[in-house]
Amino acid sequence: AKARHLKWEVSHMFWSPDCEEKVLIGINGQFPGPTIRAKAGDTIVVELKNGLHTEGVVIHWHGVRQIGTPWADGTAAISQCAINPEETFTYRFVVDKPGTYFYHGHYGMQRAAGLYGSLIVDVADGEEEPFKYDGELNLLLSDWYHDSIYNQMVGLSSSPMRWIGEPQSLLINGRGQFNCSLAAAHTPGTKQCTAGGNRHCAPVILPVEPNKTYRLRIASTTSLASLNLAIGNHKLTVVEADGNYVEPFVVDDMDIYSGDSYSVLLTTDQDPSSNYWVSIGVRGRTPKTAPALALLNYRPNRGFKLPAIAPPVTPLWNDTAHSKAFTTHIKARAGTPPPPATSDRRIELLNTQNKLDGHIKWSINNVSMVLPATPYLGSLKLGLKTALTAARPADTFGRAYDVTRPPHNPNTTTGDNVYVLRYNTTVDVVLQNANALQHNVSEVHPWHLHGHDFWVLGYGEGAYRGDAADAARLNLVNPPLRNTAVIFPYGWTALRFVADNPGVWAFHCHIEPHLHMGMGVIFAEAIDRVGKVPKEAVSCGATATALMNGDHL
Ligand SMILES: O=C1O[C@H]([C@@H](O)CO)C(O)=C1O
């Protein structure tokens, strides 16, 4: 194992990811940010200089468990203070597990401003992947809005709320096509995109050799869109999810929710005289965004030789049976550690959309999360009385709530939504979906847990009751280990994890506007066992005052 030292500067830049110029946040003059490649066991050291002259920044390493380094998790107001303009903060952490990960901003809606990149961890020297491949391709997926994140943030916090709407385009490795299509010949009414050149929006060409097997790494950092990937004429064998090996299974297309990552194997066993479409479409919400296209380029064909056939058609956005069939097919690969047979605590979290004096918010057990001025890791480590004031949030929403209808009382409250977990306890979380404010609407929400993988024990329809029928739906044999799990419309999803990683961990909907609207909770886990916290990570707010008055972390 080795230490990999990176020097990054974050700054605002003009860029044209879908050929429309706007201001975004880049790293070292690049968008998307540099790909980090490491081996399991390596230490990653990122000296991050904040070149945003008028706002703070942090970076979250999505999927990295930060065991022993909770101050490196990169969540503003939770694990650290935002890094001030012109300041440099050093992230230093171990990537303990091989897998397909990514990193992204976690302050305000900076992720939506393009602050993201790939983080790929190979097996350690001497270790082997449980599958063979000849080459590798990497797809970092995102959606793209022409509105600035300032317009979006102010709109979401306005009364009446201005929703961000559906994205203008979808990006593959930061590249997209707005107002034109690579497959215009097959999509009447669209203009053909031109190719080539080093423009920021030049179409992605993925070069492959015939009769080889490739590992396709895929991750989604979309603000809103749930995506579906299909590659013309090729089947995909799913082998990894969120850095955990899964029982291999073959699909024609696959869903990828915001926060998900996968590896699939693809064999180039098709007619080598052609190229093939890579097609990324929207599911889960009425699509108003053209699919993103890229080219699987069988060498030695010209990269931009267009396939003669039309791109694969994305499955219907509201075919939830199709969505569930894919998601429930994912099982842990043989040899994956099973979950503990029982849990010490069950926390049932009801997701509702509510009103708060004219604003629209998302709430958990009727509390919409508000983040503190002083990051929790410092204030809780110091035991400051101001860290947590009101009562702790409820572990259940009761059995009377009717998930099939808009909230009877649309009003909600705000709070810290901090759940205190005891060290090494096994925690069950049941995420319960419900009808939104609007009749007959229940939206898909992908929830992401920091600091842990959880076992996804199972899914159910309607309201969770915790009865024998619900218990019978749980898989304790080979549930997949993940860090992101989706709740389907009107349904529930049951997760289990062990609170074995002292720290303060966000657990939230990975849809950027929903987190901004309060859709999340915080796990304050075994704070008494957190090691020495570097004061440069948490020295702001009440913690700074306490340190100046002689307190010690
Ligand atoms: O939070 C949201 O707000 C809109 C709609 O509910 C109100 O405009 C939408 O689709 C969301 O997911």
Side-chain angles (χ1 to χ4, degrees):
K2 59 184 280 193
R4 294 169 189 266
H5 287 261
L6 305 165
K7 284 173 78 76
W8 285 0
E9 172 151 1
V10 173
S11 62
H12 283 114
M13 316 189 300
F14 286 117
W15 205 270
S16 309
D18 62 356
C19 298
E20 301 278 313
E21 183 177 76
K22 71 173 276 194
V23 168
L24 55 65
I25 299 178
I27 300 173
N28 292 352
Q30 274 180 256
F31 168 75
T35 293
I36 299 179
R37 188 133 207 158
K39 291 183 178 171
D42 284 354
T43 298
I44 307 293
V45 183
V46 181
E47 283 181 52
L48 187 78
K49 178 166 193 257
N50 178 4
L52 306 174
H53 303 307
T54 54
E55 59 190 78
V57 74
V58 295
I59 292 189
H60 169 55
W61 317 92
H62 187 110
V64 177
R65 291 183 293 184
Q66 300 293 355
I67 296 172
T69 51
W71 48 82
D73 191 44
T75 51
I78 300 170
S79 69
Q80 71 172 110
C81 310
I83 303 160
N84 288 320
E86 319 318 328
E87 267 187 359
T88 295
F89 176 81
T90 299
Y91 287 98
R92 181 189 310 274
F93 55 90
V94 171
V95 282
D96 62 325
K97 212 159 55 83
T100 304
Y101 306 107
F102 59 107
Y103 60 82
H104 60 77
H106 212 288
Y107 184 39
M109 294 179 70
Q110 289 182 341
R111 168 164 73 95
L115 182 51
Y116 47 73
S118 291
L119 167 56
I120 296 170
V121 182
D122 288 305
V123 290
D125 290 339
E127 298 290 325
E128 291 223 310
E129 305 269 13
F131 40 78
K132 292 275 171 257
Y133 50 93
D134 306 304
E136 204 176 296
L137 300 165
N138 186 51
L139 294 184
L140 180 59
L141 307 178
S142 54
D143 47 17
W144 195 247
Y145 288 80
H146 293 161
D147 245 1
S148 76
I149 58 170
Y150 304 101
N151 280 34
Q152 293 191 328
M153 287 193 286
V154 173
L156 293 172
S157 306
S158 297
S159 172
M161 192 258 300
R162 297 184 202 179
W163 173 238
I164 65 167
E166 304 301 318
Q168 275 68 55
S169 47
L170 303 177
L171 305 181
I172 301 174
N173 294 341
R175 297 163 176 268
Q177 301 92 30
F178 180 67
N179 261 350
C180 73
S181 166
L182 294 176
H186 306 282
T187 29
T190 55
K191 169 162 68 67
Q192 175 66 28
C193 302
T194 57
N198 65 353
R199 287 168 308 133
H200 296 151
C201 57
V204 169
I205 310 282
L206 301 166
V208 292
E209 299 299 326
N211 297 317
K212 299 271 187 207
T213 294
Y214 288 85
R215 176 182 190 160
L216 200 53
R217 293 177 185 269
I218 310 153
S220 172
T221 184
T222 56
S223 285
L224 176 71
S226 300
L227 302 176
N228 180 276
L229 162 76
I231 298 183
N233 294 61
H234 291 75
K235 292 194 177 297
L236 307 170
T237 303
V238 185
V239 292
E240 177 214 347
D242 296 356
N244 298 289
Y245 297 123
V246 301
E247 205 54 44
F249 65 103
V250 181
V251 293
D252 291 321
D253 67 85
M254 61 186 292
D255 289 332
I256 305 142
Y257 298 97
S258 184
D260 280 350
S261 65
Y262 287 99
S263 281
V264 299
L265 299 181
L266 168 144
T267 300
T268 52
D269 52 9
Q270 295 302 301
D271 171 358
S273 69
S274 173
N275 287 340
Y276 297 90
W277 293 114
V278 176
S279 170
I280 309 278
V282 171
R283 301 201 63 228
R285 293 175 68 99
T286 315
K288 294 188 184 113
T289 313
L293 296 175
L295 285 161
L296 187 70
N297 168 217
Y298 274 49
R299 310 301 293 158
N301 299 321
R302 202 166 38 85
F304 199 58
K305 179 183 179 189
L306 295 180
I309 50 171
V313 176
T314 303
L316 256 186
W317 70 275
N318 59 352
D319 177 352
T320 41
H322 186 84
S323 311
K324 291 174 184 174
F326 173 72
T327 300
T328 55
H329 201 128
I330 302 168
K331 303 292 181 198
R333 187 182 183 98
T336 305
T342 58
S343 68
D344 302 301
R345 180 174 178 186
R346 184 172 69 214
I347 302 172
E348 300 166 2
L349 302 176
L350 170 67
N351 291 223
T352 52
Q353 189 185 39
N354 300 92
K355 295 241 167 161
L356 186 71
D357 45 297
H359 301 273
I360 293 184
K361 299 287 180 189
W362 287 92
S363 297
I364 309 307
N365 295 353
N366 208 34
V367 180
S368 188
M369 180 174 73
V370 173
L371 290 175
T374 302
Y376 287 121
L377 187 60
S379 63
L380 291 174
K381 181 86 168 84
L382 286 178
L384 301 185
K385 283 179 292 306
T386 52
L388 298 175
T389 45
R392 290 306 87 230
D395 274 18
T396 179
F397 52 92
R399 296 284 173 254
Y401 190 87
D402 180 354
V403 302
T404 65
R405 308 175 60 75
H408 182 64
N409 163 11
N411 299 320
T412 187
T413 62
T414 57
D416 56 45
N417 275 352
V418 172
Y419 287 86
V420 179
L421 305 182
R422 287 188 23 252
Y423 184 60
N424 256 353
T425 51
T426 297
V427 180
D428 276 1
V429 173
V430 177
L431 289 167
Q432 175 71 56
N433 209 345
N435 199 99
L437 282 169
Q438 189 187 336
H439 280 277
N440 303 320
V441 170
S442 178
E443 298 182 346
V444 163
H445 300 287
W447 275 70
H448 169 57
L449 175 59
H450 294 226
H452 293 276
D453 285 338
F454 44 64
W455 285 274
V456 183
L457 299 186
Y459 302 85
E461 304 294 331
Y464 178 82
R465 285 186 178 65
D467 57 18
D470 289 345
R473 299 181 66 90
L474 305 185
N475 167 13
L476 298 179
V477 175
N478 59 350
L481 272 170
R482 305 211 56 174
N483 63 53
T484 302
V486 70
I487 51 176
F488 291 110
Y490 299 106
W492 53 265
T493 300
L495 315 172
R496 180 169 288 176
F497 70 96
V498 179
D500 58 2
N501 190 9
V504 187
W505 308 110
F507 179 47
H508 60 89
C509 180
H510 210 258
I511 290 174
E512 192 82 320
H514 290 175
L515 172 59
H516 192 77
M517 294 158 79
M519 195 169 202
V521 301
I522 309 270
F523 292 132
E525 190 172 320
I527 297 300
D528 54 315
R529 288 170 176 263
V530 168
K532 187 152 178 38
V533 177
K535 56 178 169 304
E536 64 272 14
V538 295
S539 179
C540 56
T543 298
T545 307
L547 292 173
M548 283 185 266
N549 295 340
D551 262 11
H552 293 282
L553 279 167

